[in-house]
């Protein structure tokens, strides 16, 4: 029946009825339009063009308590939200506030899933992302995750996964990350992490850490995150025994230390963290965790060139791991390790002598001088010169 309805131009006739104040009329007009336009992209684009988005947001605002109308309205948004033109139109409305309100009101899985589907589509638009955070979506997500914490029901697990994915989507892109930090998202994420680290809900921990890692990329955020003691709070999560969480944790700390001497100093003088890093450097069963532990160790040295940090890493027996990192299959990792060793050698040669001889680092460096990668050769030569007391050229 769809085809004759479309050919008879029924849709343009129905659209003005969405301006009605009669709830029955709205309900039936909305259902009819939804069914005729379902799975028809051209018709959906036409609907957006003639301003249906404004009508849908108005209905959601004026009849937020009417279950049948809200259901029809959300279904319509669900069908249209993937269109770029619809996202553009929605970004000029107050849809974010209304969707957050509906997310808070949702009492069953079906409604939650529908709202999540719309939000996930809208989170692809930068303006809408910020509007959603300003409307407090992350607080509602945290509440939902805490409410379902520890549940083993399949339906609850789906919702937890959807909420976690949405948190990550909201935090992609530098511009938004800066705004999100200003809005105080970090502490909400950390609260969420701390509450879930015990229950072992890996998808939530992983999502929150992915979000934190994205937040730690812009330089302006690194400073604020340090001022808000992010490094200390993340370290409390080091007791996690889940490799995916450990991996993200290490990656987030490395992002935080990148180019930030203060962050690297905080991390480099924490014996608990350094001991954990050295343990992870030996984690043979998880190469990703092992690689990230090595990279964070090198990063701490490369970004904070103080004697105290070199000494702390030595005491934790981390130097031998930097030496083994110079023989990695990945040239980027080799360069990071050589750079860190050159810095450590220049700062603290006296104490390092014995360790260098024990770990046969000179032999390793001499071999690397004939490496196929020019950067590796350059770093190896520089480190050797430092060790021999020569001035690097």
């Amino acid at each position: 029946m769809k085809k004759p309805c479309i050919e008879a131009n029924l849709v343009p006739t129905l659209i003005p009825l969405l301006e009605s104040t009669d709830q029955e009329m709205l309900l039936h007009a909305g259902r009819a339009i939804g069914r005729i336009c379902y799975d028809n992209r051209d018709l959906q684009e036409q609907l957006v063009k003639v301003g249906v988005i404004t009508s849908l947001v108005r209905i959601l605002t004026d009849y937020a308590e009417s279950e049948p109308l809200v259901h029809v309205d959300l279904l319509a948004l669900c069908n249209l939200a993937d269109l770029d033109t619809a996202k553009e139109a929605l970004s000029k409305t107050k849809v974010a506030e209304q969707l957050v309100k509906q997310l808070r009101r949702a009492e069953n899985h079906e409604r939650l899933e529908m709202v999540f589907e719309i939000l996930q589509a809208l989170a692809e638009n930068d303006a809408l992302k910020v509007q959603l955070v300003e409307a407090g979506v992350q607080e509602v997500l945290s509440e939902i995750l805490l409410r379902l914490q520890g549940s083993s029901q399949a339906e609850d697990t789906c919702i937890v996964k959807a909420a976690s994915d949405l948190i990550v989507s909201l935090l992609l892109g530098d511009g938004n990350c800066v705004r999100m930090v200003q809005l105080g998202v970090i502490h909400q994420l950390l609260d969420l992490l701390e509450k879930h680290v015990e229950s072992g809900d890996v998808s939530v921990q992983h999502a929150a850490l992915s979000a934190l890692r994205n937040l730690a990329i812009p330089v302006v955020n690194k400073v604020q995150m340090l001022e808000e003691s992010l490094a200390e709070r993340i370290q409390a999560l080091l007791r996690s025994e889940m490799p995916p969480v450990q991996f993200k944790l290490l990656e987030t700390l490395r992002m935080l230390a990148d180019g930030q001497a203060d962050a690297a100093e905080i991390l480099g003088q924490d014996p608990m963290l350094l001991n954990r890093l050295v343990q992870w450097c030996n984690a043979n069963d998880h190469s990703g965790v092992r690689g990230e532990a090595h990279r964070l160790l090198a990063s701490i040295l490369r970004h904070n060139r103080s004697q105290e940090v070199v000494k702390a890493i030595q005491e934790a027996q981390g130097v031998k791991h930097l030496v083994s990192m110079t023989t990695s299959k990945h040239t980027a990792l080799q360069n990071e390790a050589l750079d860190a060793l050159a810095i450590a050698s220049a700062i603290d040669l006296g104490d390092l002598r014995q360790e260098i001889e024990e770990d046969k680092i000179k032999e390793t460096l001499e071999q690397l001088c004939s490496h196929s990668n020019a950067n590796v050769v350059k770093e190896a030569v520089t480190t050797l010169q430092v060790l021999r007391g020569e001035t690097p050229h």
Side-chain angles (χ1 to χ4, degrees), residues 15 20 71 88 92 104 128-129 138 169 197 235 283 363:
I15 283 172
S20 169
H71 182 75
E88 194 55 39
K92 296 178 172 67
R104 199 169 249 131
L128 283 163
K129 269 186 207 177
Q138 67 288 351
S169 300
V197 80
Q235 285 169 56
E363 290 91 321

Side-chain angles (χ1 to χ4, degrees), residues 81-347:
D82 280 334
L83 305 176
D84 289 338
T85 49
K87 291 188 188 95
E88 194 55 39
L90 283 164
S91 70
K92 296 178 172 67
T93 69
K94 291 209 159 48
V95 74
E97 284 174 27
Q98 297 308 320
L99 288 171
V100 170
K101 191 184 286 182
Q102 289 302 329
L103 193 62
R104 199 169 249 131
R105 286 185 71 238
E107 286 176 0
N108 59 51
H109 289 89
E110 188 196 358
R111 175 60 52 84
L112 276 171
E113 279 170 19
M114 203 188 293
V115 178
F116 274 131
E117 200 174 322
I118 300 166
L119 292 174
Q120 194 68 53
L122 301 193
E124 291 167 14
N125 176 289
D126 281 355
L128 283 163
K129 269 186 207 177
V130 174
Q131 288 169 24
L132 285 167
V133 172
E134 284 173 340
V137 72
Q138 67 288 351
E139 289 161 27
V140 187
L141 291 174
S142 296
E143 286 164 19
I144 291 168
L145 288 168
L146 291 173
R147 191 168 77 230
L148 301 179
Q149 187 175 350
S151 166
S152 55
Q153 280 185 30
E155 288 175 319
D156 289 343
T157 311
C158 285
I159 298 297
V160 165
K161 174 87 175 67
S164 306
D165 289 346
L166 186 56
I167 287 173
V168 178
S169 300
L170 288 168
L171 294 167
L172 291 171
D174 274 16
N176 275 330
C177 283
V178 173
R179 184 84 186 94
M180 306 275 179
V181 169
Q182 289 164 353
L183 290 167
V185 170
I186 290 175
H187 287 290
Q188 288 161 346
L189 284 171
L190 284 166
D191 291 344
L192 190 62
L193 267 172
E194 283 162 5
K195 285 170 181 134
H196 278 270
V197 80
E198 294 297 346
S199 73
D201 202 326
V202 184
S203 63
V204 177
Q205 294 175 6
H206 197 53
L209 280 164
S210 295
L212 281 171
R213 177 204 170 280
N214 292 338
L215 285 175
I217 296 171
V219 173
V220 61
N221 281 4
K222 294 180 201 281
V223 177
Q224 191 169 341
M225 287 168 122
L226 279 177
E227 286 169 359
E228 296 186 12
S229 309
L230 177 77
E232 290 91 326
R233 284 190 73 182
I234 286 189
Q235 285 169 56
L237 299 166
L238 284 171
R239 61 184 184 274
S240 169
E241 292 301 328
M242 314 295 283
V245 174
Q246 293 168 344
F247 180 80
K248 281 288 173 196
L249 197 59
L250 293 167
E251 203 181 18
T252 304
L253 289 173
R254 183 166 60 81
M255 286 293 158
L256 206 56
D258 187 27
Q260 294 295 310
D262 291 352
E265 187 166 6
I266 291 168
L267 300 174
Q269 293 193 33
D270 183 322
M272 178 185 137
L273 172 67
L274 294 176
N275 288 330
R276 204 78 165 98
L277 278 183
V278 168
Q279 269 176 33
W280 280 327
C281 283
N282 292 316
N284 294 325
D285 44 347
H286 291 287
S287 58
V289 172
R290 189 172 71 241
E292 267 308 318
H294 279 88
R295 292 190 77 184
L296 179 55
L297 209 51
S299 187
I300 289 169
L301 265 177
R302 288 167 57 232
H303 297 291
N304 182 286
R305 301 164 175 236
S306 74
Q307 202 153 1
E308 291 75 27
V309 169
V310 177
K311 273 203 165 70
I313 287 175
Q314 255 185 294
E315 281 164 15
Q317 298 178 327
V319 176
K320 65 181 176 200
H321 294 295
L322 293 173
V323 175
S324 71
M325 188 178 166
T326 61
T327 59
S328 163
K329 292 195 289 286
H330 306 286
T331 51
L333 270 73
Q334 286 181 302
N335 283 329
E336 287 171 19
L338 288 165
D339 192 17
L341 284 166
I343 289 162
S345 306
I347 291 168

Side-chain angles (χ1 to χ4, degrees), residues 56 64 183 382:
L56 289 174
L183 290 167
T382 305

Side-chain angles (χ1 to χ4, degrees), residues 40-57:
N40 185 326
R41 204 171 176 90
D42 291 340
L43 262 182
Q44 290 173 347
E45 289 282 9
Q46 281 176 38
L47 284 178
V48 175
K49 208 173 271 181
V50 296
V52 78
I53 292 294
T54 315
S55 301
L56 289 174
V57 177

